[in-house]
Amino acid sequence: MTEHSLWPRRTPRLELRIPSLDDLDQVLTWRNDPAVTRWMLSTTVDPDSWRSAWLAGADDPFDHSVVAVLHGRVIGTGSIEVADAMGQGMRAPNAADLPWRSAQGSLGYLLDPTVHGRGLATEIVAAMLDLAFDLGLHRVTAGCFADNIGSWRVMEKCGMRREQHGVQDSWHAEMGWLDGYTYAILAEEWRAAAPAATAVRTG
Ligand SMILES: CC(C)(COP(=O)(O)OP(=O)(O)OC[C@H]1O[C@@H](n2cnc3c(N)ncnc32)[C@H](O)[C@@H]1OP(=O)(O)O)[C@@H](O)C(=O)NCCC(=O)NCCS
C-alpha cells in the first residue's frame, strides 16, 4: 500500500489528507501558539526544520502523518508512527517475519486552539485509529501529561484504556516533574467498539 492510496479519509466533519506545502504553512500559523505547545513534548518548533521533517516523513513507510481540514482550513494534524512491539525471537532465522514486527503504532494529534472543545480532535483520533488497524497493526498507544485533561478525554472517548499512571515520570519545562498517563487500544477492541459518531470514510 502506498501512502497516497491510504488518503484522503473523511470523518463526519473533516478531511484528513497528506499535506501540501500550503497546508503545512497553515499549520504553522497556530503550531507555536502557547495553547498548543503547553503540553507538547516538542514545544516551539522552528518553521523550516519542522517543514523539512514533515516532507522527509512523506517517504517513510513507518510514518503516517496527515493534516485535518475543516471547511477548507487546516485545523489539526494526526500521526501514527509504526514500530516493533515487544517480542521473543529477535535472533531467530525468521525474526523479520515474527508477529511483533511493526505491530504497534504510536498516536499523536494536535488542533488549532480556535477550534478546541468541539469534538474535532476526537474525530482525528478515531480516523487515525481506523487507519492504524486497517494497516494491520495489533495495538496503538499514546502518552500524555496527566494534567492534559482534554487529551486523555479524547482518547477515552475513542475507547482507549489508561494502562499506566506514571508518578512524576514526565518532565515539563515550566512545572518540573509531573505525572503522565499511557493509553492503549487493541485492534479487536477498536473493531468491537469504534464509536459510530466518528465513522470514517476512505477515498
Ligand atoms: C488535547 C486536544 C487535542 C483536545 O482537542 P479538542 O478538539 O478540544 O478535543 P474534543 O473536543 O474532541 O474533546 C475534549 C474533551 O476533553 C474535555 N476537556 C477539555 N479540557 C478539559 C478540562 N480542563 N477539564 C475537564 N474536561 C476537559 C472536553 O470537555 C471534551 O470532553 P467531552 O466531549 O466529554 O465534553 C487539543 O486541546 C490540543 O490540540 N491541545 C494541544 C496539543 C496537545 O495537547 N495534543 C495532545 C498531546 S498528548
Side-chain angles (χ1 to χ4, degrees):
M1 244 184 288
T2 68
E3 195 64 17
H4 282 275
S5 67
L6 301 172
W7 308 102
R9 286 172 175 244
R10 288 180 183 77
T11 71
R13 289 172 291 176
L14 301 172
E15 179 188 57
L16 271 67
R17 67 184 185 214
I18 297 172
S20 64
L21 276 174
D22 176 64
D23 289 341
L24 293 180
D25 285 340
Q26 288 191 52
V27 175
L28 284 166
T29 63
W30 48 262
R31 173 61 182 77
N32 286 336
D33 187 300
V36 176
T37 58
R38 182 160 188 241
W39 295 118
M40 300 288 294
L41 297 186
S42 172
T43 51
T44 304
V45 297
D46 167 65
D48 289 337
S49 321
W50 182 86
R51 229 184 262 109
S52 305
W54 263 85
L55 296 174
D59 294 325
D60 180 347
F62 300 110
D63 175 359
H64 304 283
S65 296
V66 288
V67 292
V69 181
L70 176 71
H71 307 310
R73 190 160 71 87
V74 178
I75 54 85
T77 67
S79 62
I80 292 282
E81 273 184 48
V82 178
D84 291 343
M86 196 168 94
Q88 292 188 314
M90 203 171 279
R91 286 175 184 56
N94 61 339
D97 302 322
L98 289 170
W100 48 269
R101 288 290 187 197
S102 301
Q104 192 151 290
S106 172
L107 166 71
Y109 43 91
L110 47 102
L111 208 67
D112 177 345
T114 62
V115 296
H116 283 184
R118 291 164 50 180
L120 293 168
T122 304
E123 289 189 25
I124 294 173
V125 168
M128 298 314 294
L129 291 176
D130 226 52
L131 178 270
F133 296 126
D134 282 354
L135 290 172
L137 298 190
H138 167 61
R139 174 180 157 92
V140 171
T141 65
C144 66
F145 286 101
D147 289 335
N148 191 357
I149 300 171
S151 185
W152 58 259
R153 277 294 302 142
V154 165
M155 291 193 271
E156 290 188 348
K157 284 196 286 180
C158 288
M160 297 180 76
R161 169 183 51 250
R162 187 183 301 168
E163 291 191 339
Q164 189 206 17
H165 176 165
V167 176
Q168 290 195 25
D169 66 350
S170 307
W171 188 78
H172 190 281
E174 278 126 41
M175 292 179 255
W177 287 108
L178 298 178
D179 290 5
Y181 292 154
T182 306
Y183 277 77
I185 187 167
L186 299 172
E188 62 259 35
E189 292 170 334
W190 175 249
R191 286 192 194 104
T198 53
V200 176
R201 286 178 292 120
T202 51

